[in-house]
Amino acid sequence: RTMAEDTSHSEDDVQETKKSCWDCLPCYRPYAGDTTKLREIVVNAPYSQDPELLSRHQFMDNYVATTRYRWWNFIFKNLYEQFQKAANFYFLIMAIITSIPGVSTIPVYATVTPLAFVLAVTAIKDGIDDYKRYKNDRELNNRTVEVLVPGGDTQVLKWDQLQVGHVVKVKQDTNFPADLILLSSSEENGECGIQTANLDGETNLKIRQALKETVSLSPEHIAKVGSMTVKCERPHPQLYGFEGQLFMDDAHYALNPSHMLLRGAMLKETKFVYALVIYTGNQTKVMLNNDPPRFKQSHMDKVMNKQLYLIFILQFCIVFTCTVLSGWFYVNRAGKHWYFRIEDTSVAAGTQDAVTNFFAFYVLLSVMVPISLIVSMELVRLGQAVLINVDNRMYDSEDGKLAAARSTTLSEELGQIQYIFSDKTGTLTSNQMAFEKCSISGVMYGGTEKDTIGVNDSKRNKSGGDGSFDLKSQHKDGLLTEADRSHERRATRIPDMSTIDVDGDPRFCNMSDPALLFKLLEGDEAARSYVLALALCHTVSAVTDITRPGKVIYQGESTDEIALVTMASFHGVRFVSRERDVVTLVLPWVTQEGQQQHNDSKGAAASGGPGHRRSNTMGSRVQFKILQIMAFSSDRKRMAVIVQYPDGSIRVLIKGADDVMERRASKDPQVNSPDMWKTTHSHLFQFSREGLRVMLVGERVLDAKSYQEWSKRYAEASESFADKGDSRQEKMDRIAGEIEKDFKVLGVTAIEDKLQDGVPLTLKLLKKAGIKIWVLTGDKQNTAVNIGKSCGLIGWDYQLEYLRATTPEDVMKELKTIKQHLELSDKQGAALMVTGASLEVGLEDKTQELLFEVMNHPIVRVVVASRMSPKQKARVVTLVKTKLHVVTLAVGDGANDVSMIRAAHVGVGIRGKEGMQAANSSDYAISKFRFLTQLLLVHGTLSYNRNAILILYFFYKNIMMAVQQIYFVFVCGYSSEEVFDGYMLNTFNLCWTALPILLFSVFDRPANVDELLEFPQLYLSGLHGDLFNFRTFWISFFEAVVHGSVVWLMTWYTAHDMFDSYWVSSVATYTVVVLVANTKMAMITTTWFWFNALIIILTVLVYFGFIYLYCGPIGFSFSPWLFGVIQQVMARPMFYLVALWLCISVFLQDYLVYYVQRIFNPTLLMLVQECRNDTSKKQDLIYALNNKSARRKSTTTYTKAPNGRNNPGNTGMMGAKYPQHEAKLKMLAT
């Protein structure tokens, strides 16, 4: 039983939930504690002696079960699930019909055996998977934890024995057993560090804080029954959403996600914590978010299902025709054959016989639908998934992980992707943030390489034991930035950067500008306010650096924030500690409020003479009180903190996306001057053009009265529960917005997010493969565009079109203008730039059609959508998928990409610095974006080729077998007599034609890995569905009909002339069908290994051994009518001649078709195979495909290489002998 999600509550926590019709059953009856809108939890209630409290304090236990089955329902539930598939249900009906006495001449086992085999294989596979989950569950449930009992002592319980209300003691480096509320910790301030790698993959240390009212409580007081009560919302899957209140001593206190410790997280940097259990078992957030691999049906499966419907119709027509002929024969001809012993030949009797034969004919022709194809596809896809999981070309040395196929049903879908939707940050870029430049009140710092002191290893010496860096040797003359040259000063006044203590990881900051430090030391108010804002407006924690005694490193959930704090540290403003609501900074200047470190530091700062060496500990150690933190969210796109400075002033420090911040900044020219806005906009544009991530930083001063009034309302909102109007968070955001406005803009930050290795080459190959790529990002438009250009996604010669309007009328007007520009353009490609606001309007009904018409224009190669929310990303993917009927792939690395990944046909998650949520919600998980080429162009192309041939071959051999039965109807008086023995019919698919095609579908390689990457155009066959479609399916179908007809006519009538026994002719025909099917298998194989050649040979040899035994004493008890038949067949030389002739005929027919196609209409795969061992031809082919002139110029040969030489003697693919190849190559190149 699962709990219904309830995210909208009212203050009335006694309102009962609606009763279900299942409540009469104990297993469906709600827990007593969950019958109200709010959950009320009493501390240590499980140890209470009060029956009333125990009766209403009933919740789900902490036993976790992720298995799909129980031992008592496995068979029934698994069969129910399997019969949801149409093919399985179809064969179940066939088996029921067969079991009806007098309806079918085929034994029941002939239809039951293959169905049972398919069901058994699938059940075993499901059972093994479920047993693995059971073992994992058992290991978790048997873990132990200490629990506080009344009196303050502890006892050890297993995890599955925990109950809501228990108080647990969790020790360092152990996982939390349930969802908990932190009460106190070994730290005096009640903080603890946790690592949530098991939840979202983030390894950064996160800080959780206990209420200050519970921090000092003793274990004896905490363990007292009823010492505290918690009211909170009922379980829901939002990982970082929680609303609650703690009641103690006639007072109540708000609880939020910062007080929660989620099951699966690990305690770090803290010796122990005491915490209250609030959610247990399958109601914990991690279990509610448990997202097992989802079933997705591939495009190939959908095409196959459509063909199956046509086969069902064809089968009905054949059965109906045979039924009519059966009735006619019974009435008009059956009485003339004495051995039928039919006395009543009336129409009524004929009709009754025809109706019986109708069902019998259905059973006989059920071989037209190969049931073994289902289990074969599952086994093949499983093998292809294993190949992906062990591919060393997708191994990442940084995280030590290979690619992971989390879905085994989409391997061929990887070879048919038409649209890729990609995130930018962390996907195309590395998410390794480094502070590069900044703009403060219109003055740029770190503007050029000459003016910026780099901090990487090539520009700086290694740090010494004191954490100082020798940057002095890097400076000569001209240290001032361009924007600051108006403040020229003597070289003797340039501060010595080597005297600055540095905390943090140098990789997070590439800027260390002495001009900025000079401004700070000189007392420039704008510079000091800006750097202080960076050092205070964050949620980063400072952790002791074990490699540099006395120094700290920064850890936090956001690498952007770490880069900002590191930049402040590099300019002397060092963030050194955070204790509850107090942040301590070390400033490079001396303040009246701070502690003066050295008496002469002020004089040193003023003089700054050359050669003067100040102490590494210069400046003041100052404490700032953090009054409130309004955390960043993707909806708000900003973060703010309210800080009380040492002088008593209260200030709001805010940072966020430039478009949001600009709207909320003060419009007073006295606060933000027009000149400042002009230079700031110029710097924003410049930073964005360089592909840097930009944010605006602002400050607002509050008076004490205004803050107190606002704080009171914000506290009320933070203690409230969700109602029908707003959730708690929405109320808090609305009130926060009242104070996050009318601020003074301090400056701009510019952070570099470097491209991942191999991204430009990957995008180039994917574009050559014919895949359209859309970038959906939350970043600024200019930043996204310039990243697109730098990685090669947007060609420098592309025509750029922008959609920026925000009203329906303006969007419609801009779309029409863009369409006209595209129609008149003479460019080879174009890129469409869209903002999130414009896209939101464009997706409305009035403009949607025109928007997609523009986006899907032939010359639009790339679409870049900026400032996108997660919901907008998912909506775009869904609309493209449904409107354009294309196969889509979404790739991302963060939690904001999960919706997009789930919406696409194939979701690819990148294990990145933003966590594992994207990877855990994906169908395929990789570590780097560049691995997409191996995943799509190699595994996707090969899987599509293999699975297409697998399906065609299965229908080929089964239709060829069905043809024998159809012809036999015409020679057996239109009766429902079977042409082959039941066991022989079953073993045809299970034994004599199974292994060769399975090995082929896993290991065959029509092109090797290097060729697939060297010629990405090979991917076009899957993208266009060339190998498996309506045409290829029915060509294969009629080929099977022709081959089956020839086999019937040659074998049956030849054997019939030699033998009088119908069973002798049956065995002879069956043997030839097996030989022809295996000959066909050999013909379609393109890569020969020793094992697949051996399997084909062994299959034929084992068949003859089987048929000898089956037609001998061993098979007499099963099919006595076959006794001695094979000896009669094998004794006749004519049989060998017919079998050999038929196999050679199939061989010659396939060879002739392949040869003619290679000469007159070769595919690119054929051309690649032809030049495999000829370097000259390969160079010519690459040149023809890559040279743009191949798209425009008409030539008679493609043998002209880049060096200008001609190869008139080349034949086959590009010699002058075959000028018709030019059109093919031009099409492929285009």
Side-chain angles (χ1 to χ4, degrees):
R1 184 173 63 84
T2 60
M3 297 299 300
E5 180 182 348
D6 188 3
T7 56
S8 60
H9 310 305
S10 66
E11 294 289 346
D12 184 9
D13 61 341
V14 298
Q15 181 181 350
E16 295 188 356
T17 57
K18 294 183 179 179
K19 294 185 177 181
S20 167
C21 60
W22 299 102
D23 288 353
C24 58
L25 300 177
C27 59
Y28 282 96
R29 192 170 299 153
Y31 294 100
D34 284 324
T35 56
T36 58
K37 282 287 185 181
L38 297 179
R39 172 175 283 201
E40 183 175 336
I41 303 163
V42 178
V43 169
N44 261 349
Y47 293 107
S48 174
Q49 303 299 320
D50 184 359
E52 182 183 355
L53 174 60
L54 292 175
S55 65
R56 61 184 173 84
H57 204 274
Q58 296 179 10
F59 301 95
M60 177 178 286
D61 57 33
N62 203 40
Y63 178 83
V64 167
T66 60
T67 56
R68 295 169 57 189
Y69 311 102
R70 300 291 185 271
W71 65 268
W72 51 269
N73 71 355
F74 172 75
I75 295 178
F76 305 102
K77 187 175 181 180
N78 187 264
L79 288 176
Y80 173 78
E81 291 174 349
Q82 291 200 58
F83 284 124
Q84 302 299 307
K85 299 178 181 179
N88 287 347
F89 186 75
Y90 169 81
F91 279 96
L92 176 64
I93 299 299
M94 294 297 103
I96 294 174
I97 294 175
T98 306
S99 63
I100 300 175
V103 172
S104 174
T105 57
I106 292 181
V108 176
Y109 61 77
T111 53
V112 171
T113 302
L115 177 62
F117 176 79
V118 170
L119 297 177
V121 169
T122 305
I124 291 172
K125 175 179 173 291
D126 293 341
I128 292 174
D129 291 342
D130 212 50
Y131 182 70
K132 292 178 180 178
R133 287 190 284 266
Y134 165 74
K135 290 178 64 178
N136 184 61
D137 293 343
R138 185 174 59 185
E139 189 272 330
L140 288 176
N141 291 322
N142 287 334
R143 291 182 182 179
T144 59
V145 66
E146 294 184 31
V147 177
L148 277 181
V149 298
D153 295 331
T154 62
Q155 73 173 116
V156 177
L157 294 180
K158 292 182 179 180
W159 277 21
D160 61 1
Q161 295 175 323
L162 278 182
Q163 298 180 37
V164 173
H166 273 145
V167 178
V168 296
K169 180 181 181 180
V170 182
K171 297 182 178 179
Q172 185 172 350
D173 295 328
T174 57
N175 294 98
F176 300 117
D179 287 351
L180 315 171
I181 290 295
L182 179 62
L183 299 178
S184 65
S185 73
S186 57
E187 304 296 323
E188 293 183 0
N189 59 4
E191 289 183 347
C192 72
I194 66 171
Q195 189 182 78
T196 59
N198 291 338
L199 303 178
D200 54 19
E202 296 181 9
T203 57
N204 294 331
L205 189 69
K206 300 179 181 178
I207 303 300
R208 292 295 181 263
Q209 182 81 55
L211 289 170
K212 61 182 180 181
E213 290 77 13
T214 63
V215 168
S216 59
L217 297 178
S218 65
E220 293 79 8
H221 186 278
I222 294 176
K224 183 181 178 181
V225 176
S227 61
M228 287 174 279
T229 301
V230 170
K231 289 186 178 182
C232 61
E233 56 192 355
R234 287 171 58 181
H236 62 75
Q238 298 177 13
L239 274 179
Y240 303 111
F242 176 73
E243 298 177 5
Q245 290 180 337
L246 185 142
F247 295 82
M248 183 177 65
D249 299 334
D250 298 327
H252 63 275
Y253 311 97
L255 296 174
N256 55 56
S258 67
H259 302 120
M260 281 199 73
L261 307 173
L262 299 181
R263 178 188 175 112
M266 180 177 289
L267 182 65
K268 288 288 187 180
E269 306 291 339
T270 310
K271 293 181 180 179
F272 64 86
V273 297
Y274 290 108
L276 173 66
V277 178
I278 56 170
Y279 302 131
T280 51
N282 289 334
Q283 292 182 342
T284 56
K285 292 183 180 294
V286 65
M287 297 306 299
L288 291 175
N289 279 277
N290 186 30
D291 189 18
R294 304 169 307 284
F295 174 77
K296 290 184 179 181
Q297 191 176 33
S298 69
H299 182 71
M300 185 175 287
D301 284 338
K302 295 176 183 178
V303 174
M304 184 179 70
N305 287 339
K306 292 179 181 178
Q307 312 312 317
L308 279 176
Y309 297 145
L310 295 177
I311 286 183
F312 289 154
I313 296 173
L314 178 62
Q315 184 184 22
F316 174 80
C317 295
I318 295 174
V319 168
F320 183 78
T321 301
C322 293
T323 301
V324 173
L325 292 174
S326 173
W328 172 84
F329 184 88
Y330 187 94
V331 174
N332 298 286
R333 305 292 292 275
K336 300 179 181 179
H337 299 275
W338 60 269
Y339 49 84
F340 284 156
R341 299 178 181 178
I342 296 177
E343 298 179 357
D344 185 6
T345 59
S346 63
V347 174
T351 302
Q352 182 180 357
D353 181 73
V355 171
T356 302
N357 284 339
F358 176 82
F359 297 101
F361 284 135
Y362 250 119
V363 176
L364 289 174
L365 295 180
S366 62
V367 71
M368 294 178 67
V369 182
I371 187 174
S372 56
L373 173 61
I374 300 171
V375 68
S376 297
M377 289 286 286
E378 289 191 10
L379 293 175
V380 164
R381 286 167 172 165
L382 180 61
Q384 292 167 349
V386 171
L387 291 181
I388 292 175
N389 292 339
V390 299
D391 188 350
N392 287 328
R393 290 181 179 238
M394 291 190 285
Y395 173 78
D396 181 44
S397 58
E398 292 183 12
D399 62 7
K401 293 181 180 179
L402 293 162
R406 302 184 70 253
S407 172
T408 59
T409 61
L410 300 172
S411 54
E412 69 274 10
E413 196 85 331
L414 292 172
Q416 295 187 277
I417 302 300
Q418 296 167 276
Y419 280 75
I420 291 179
F421 298 90
S422 173
D423 180 38
K424 183 186 74 67
T425 305
T427 304
L428 300 179
T429 59
S430 62
N431 205 17
Q432 177 58 54
M433 307 301 177
F435 198 102
E436 290 288 339
K437 304 176 183 180
C438 68
S439 172
I440 303 175
S441 296
V443 180
M444 185 187 300
Y445 297 92
T448 64
E449 182 178 354
K450 178 181 177 181
D451 299 326
T452 303
I453 301 178
V455 295
N456 52 30
D457 291 341
S458 63
K459 295 184 179 180
R460 64 189 295 172
N461 298 325
K462 296 295 184 180
S463 62
D466 61 352
S468 300
F469 292 88
D470 185 12
L471 302 175
K472 190 174 181 180
S473 60
Q474 302 294 331
H475 293 273
K476 302 297 181 182
D477 296 326
L479 291 171
L480 305 185
T481 60
E482 288 289 339
D484 204 38
R485 287 187 176 177
S486 60
H487 302 277
E488 290 185 352
R489 54 194 181 272
R490 297 187 307 275
T492 56
R493 301 185 64 187
I494 297 175
D496 185 358
M497 297 295 290
S498 64
T499 63
I500 299 301
D501 279 350
V502 175
D503 287 307
D505 189 337
R507 293 177 300 174
F508 286 97
C509 184
N510 291 335
M511 170 187 163
S512 184
D513 196 334
L516 177 57
L517 179 58
F518 182 82
K519 285 289 191 71
L520 295 174
L521 297 177
E522 286 288 299
D524 185 87
E525 182 181 353
R528 287 187 175 185
S529 297
Y530 176 87
V531 179
L532 281 175
L534 299 188
L536 292 171
C537 185
H538 59 81
T539 57
V540 173
S541 59
V543 181
T544 301
D545 188 350
I546 59 175
T547 63
R548 295 189 297 162
K551 303 302 173 186
V552 298
I553 57 174
Y554 302 128
Q555 294 186 348
E557 301 181 24
S558 169
T559 53
D560 290 85
E561 289 192 333
I562 296 176
L564 297 177
V565 177
T566 305
M567 179 271 184
S569 172
F570 272 41
H571 293 83
V573 181
R574 298 166 47 213
F575 163 60
V576 293
S577 70
R578 179 193 296 272
E579 296 180 1
R580 200 165 191 86
D581 56 356
V582 175
V583 168
T584 302
L585 302 182
V586 175
L587 307 180
W589 61 87
V590 178
T591 64
Q592 295 179 356
E593 298 82 2
Q595 178 183 359
Q596 183 172 344
Q597 303 297 321
H598 294 276
N599 294 329
D600 60 345
S601 61
K602 185 174 181 180
S607 61
H612 181 81
R613 176 82 176 184
R614 291 186 302 273
S615 169
N616 284 337
T617 57
M618 72 172 189
S620 305
R621 190 179 186 91
V622 183
Q623 292 185 335
F624 297 80
K625 186 175 182 180
I626 306 298
L627 302 178
Q628 194 61 253
I629 297 178
M630 285 81 80
F632 176 87
S633 70
S634 57
D635 294 328
R636 284 162 35 82
K637 295 184 179 181
R638 62 188 183 274
M639 174 198 175
V641 296
I642 303 178
V643 184
Q644 185 174 22
Y645 277 47
D647 61 2
S649 63
I650 299 176
R651 308 187 186 193
V652 181
L653 305 179
I654 180 171
K655 64 184 181 185
D658 59 305
D659 57 339
V660 175
M661 295 282 287
E662 189 170 343
R663 290 198 302 267
R664 306 186 71 86
S666 175
K667 304 301 187 292
D668 187 352
Q670 300 298 323
V671 178
N672 296 313
S673 66
D675 292 338
M676 185 279 298
W677 275 122
K678 182 178 179 180
T679 53
T680 298
H681 284 151
S682 174
H683 292 160
L684 279 170
F685 181 76
Q686 179 179 338
F687 295 159
S688 298
R689 286 199 61 182
E690 296 174 14
L692 302 176
R693 294 161 60 91
V694 296
M695 285 194 302
L696 280 179
V697 181
E699 178 188 68
R700 178 183 176 183
V701 179
L702 293 178
D703 59 81
K705 182 179 180 181
S706 299
Y707 168 72
Q708 293 297 333
E709 293 177 354
W710 176 90
S711 178
K712 182 179 179 181
R713 292 189 295 115
Y714 191 79
E716 292 175 353
S718 65
E719 295 176 1
S720 67
F721 286 104
D723 52 34
K724 294 182 180 180
D726 295 315
S727 66
R728 173 190 287 184
Q729 190 61 49
E730 289 173 338
K731 296 175 183 177
M732 293 170 63
D733 289 347
R734 185 172 60 252
I735 296 176
E738 297 176 5
I739 206 171
E740 297 171 331
K741 62 181 182 179
D742 299 332
F743 51 82
K744 175 180 175 62
V745 174
L746 298 177
V748 181
T749 66
I751 297 176
E752 180 186 15
D753 189 4
K754 296 181 179 179
L755 285 176
Q756 288 190 19
D757 293 338
V759 167
L761 178 60
T762 299
L763 294 173
K764 181 180 179 181
L765 292 176
L766 293 176
K767 288 164 67 178
K768 284 186 177 182
I771 301 174
K772 286 194 172 185
I773 303 173
W774 290 18
V775 176
L776 310 180
T777 178
D779 272 355
K780 187 176 175 64
Q781 189 175 72
N782 287 339
T783 302
V785 170
N786 286 282
I787 287 290
K789 288 184 177 180
S790 63
C791 68
L793 179 63
I794 301 174
W796 292 99
D797 60 341
Y798 277 14
Q799 177 175 324
L800 301 184
E801 296 290 344
Y802 292 87
L803 179 62
R804 293 168 173 162
T806 56
T807 63
E809 295 76 13
D810 293 340
V811 167
M812 180 70 74
K813 183 179 179 180
E814 281 194 7
L815 286 173
K816 291 180 179 179
T817 303
I818 293 172
K819 184 179 179 182
Q820 292 177 355
H821 292 170
L822 295 175
E823 296 292 342
L824 300 175
S825 175
D826 58 350
K827 300 281 188 179
Q828 293 297 321
L832 179 63
M833 313 300 159
V834 189
T835 63
S838 300
L839 196 59
E840 185 69 27
V841 177
L843 292 176
E844 296 178 359
D845 294 337
K846 295 181 179 179
T847 56
Q848 190 180 104
E849 293 296 330
L850 183 57
L851 175 65
F852 277 96
E853 187 178 347
V854 171
M855 286 181 166
N856 202 40
H857 194 277
I859 72 167
V860 174
R861 307 292 176 83
V862 178
V863 175
V864 177
S866 57
R867 297 305 191 196
M868 296 284 287
S869 67
K871 290 183 179 180
Q872 286 176 326
K873 291 182 180 182
R875 189 179 177 192
V876 168
V877 173
T878 302
L879 286 173
V880 171
K881 183 173 63 174
T882 55
K883 291 287 184 181
L884 303 182
H885 305 289
V886 292
V887 182
T888 59
L889 179 146
V891 55
D893 73 316
N896 61 328
D897 301 317
V898 169
S899 299
M900 175 177 70
I901 288 172
R902 289 178 174 173
H905 290 100
V906 179
V908 176
I910 295 180
R911 309 182 190 100
K913 294 181 176 62
E914 292 189 24
M916 290 287 290
Q917 285 183 310
N920 292 338
S921 301
S922 65
D923 302 302
Y924 296 90
I926 57 179
S927 297
K928 292 290 184 291
F929 182 82
R930 68 175 184 269
F931 294 154
L932 271 184
T933 54
Q934 186 74 8
L935 187 65
L936 299 185
L937 303 187
V938 177
H939 290 283
T941 302
L942 292 178
S943 296
Y944 173 77
N945 280 267
R946 294 163 179 168
N947 292 2
I949 295 176
L950 168 71
I951 297 174
L952 295 177
Y953 177 74
F954 257 90
F955 278 99
Y956 165 84
K957 61 190 181 67
N958 277 60
I959 295 301
M960 188 167 58
M961 180 66 76
V963 167
Q964 315 306 312
Q965 181 64 58
I966 294 172
Y967 277 115
F968 186 69
V969 169
F970 291 91
V971 299
C972 67
Y974 307 105
S975 67
S976 56
E977 186 68 28
E978 70 274 12
V979 66
F980 301 123
D981 176 75
Y983 280 110
M984 293 169 60
L985 196 63
N986 289 338
T987 55
F988 177 75
N989 279 320
L990 297 180
C991 301
W992 319 130
T993 58
L995 281 179
I997 187 62
L998 290 179
L999 290 176
F1000 167 91
S1001 301
V1002 176
F1003 297 107
D1004 190 71
R1005 288 200 305 252
N1008 59 47
V1009 175
D1010 292 333
E1011 290 170 342
L1012 290 169
L1013 296 176
E1014 198 170 10
F1015 298 96
Q1017 293 87 350
L1018 289 170
Y1019 190 82
L1020 290 169
S1021 63
L1023 189 145
H1024 296 149
D1026 293 337
L1027 297 183
F1028 185 70
N1029 50 45
F1030 181 88
R1031 183 181 64 85
T1032 57
F1033 180 86
W1034 288 101
I1035 287 176
S1036 178
F1037 182 93
F1038 287 111
E1039 182 185 28
V1041 172
V1042 173
H1043 288 185
S1045 301
V1046 174
V1047 168
W1048 169 265
L1049 294 173
M1050 293 298 299
T1051 308
W1052 184 267
Y1053 282 104
T1054 301
H1056 185 68
D1057 292 339
M1058 291 187 294
F1059 313 111
D1060 293 331
S1061 171
Y1062 131 66
W1063 284 113
V1064 174
S1065 301
S1066 173
V1067 171
T1069 304
Y1070 182 85
T1071 302
V1072 172
V1073 171
V1074 170
L1075 294 175
V1076 169
N1078 282 279
T1079 302
K1080 183 71 173 179
M1081 184 70 252
M1083 286 302 301
I1084 63 179
T1085 301
T1086 59
T1087 306
W1088 285 97
F1089 301 97
W1090 64 268
F1091 50 82
N1092 60 352
L1094 181 63
I1095 285 296
I1096 292 178
I1097 296 173
L1098 285 179
T1099 297
V1100 175
L1101 294 179
V1102 171
Y1103 163 73
F1104 280 105
F1106 162 80
I1107 203 67
Y1108 259 99
L1109 295 176
Y1110 189 64
C1111 293
I1114 295 179
F1116 184 80
S1117 58
F1118 300 100
S1119 304
W1121 48 84
L1122 294 180
F1123 185 78
V1125 167
I1126 191 63
Q1127 289 82 354
Q1128 299 181 52
V1129 173
M1130 302 298 289
R1132 296 289 182 141
M1134 181 60 71
F1135 167 77
Y1136 299 99
L1137 182 62
V1138 171
L1140 180 62
W1141 184 87
L1142 288 171
C1143 291
I1144 292 176
S1145 298
V1146 171
F1147 171 81
L1148 291 176
Q1149 180 248 320
D1150 282 358
Y1151 185 82
L1152 180 62
V1153 170
Y1154 189 77
Y1155 180 78
V1156 171
Q1157 183 181 10
R1158 179 180 286 272
I1159 294 298
F1160 296 103
N1161 188 30
T1163 63
L1164 179 60
L1165 178 60
M1166 293 178 180
L1167 302 180
V1168 172
Q1169 291 171 343
E1170 183 177 339
C1171 65
R1172 179 169 294 167
N1173 298 318
D1174 190 327
T1175 305
S1176 175
K1177 286 186 177 182
K1178 180 180 290 188
Q1179 291 176 351
D1180 291 340
L1181 181 57
I1182 294 174
Y1183 180 73
L1185 290 173
N1186 295 337
N1187 189 12
K1188 293 183 179 180
S1189 63
R1191 307 176 188 176
R1192 301 187 296 270
K1193 297 180 181 180
S1194 176
T1195 60
T1196 59
T1197 178
Y1198 278 89
T1199 60
K1200 196 165 193 176
N1203 59 10
R1205 65 178 177 85
N1206 291 310
N1207 299 307
N1210 287 354
T1211 59
M1213 62 174 181
M1214 28 205 165
K1217 184 177 179 180
Y1218 307 113
Q1220 63 274 21
H1221 294 171
E1222 176 200 349
K1224 171 72 70 174
L1225 289 174
K1226 288 177 65 177
M1227 182 274 292
L1228 290 170
T1230 306

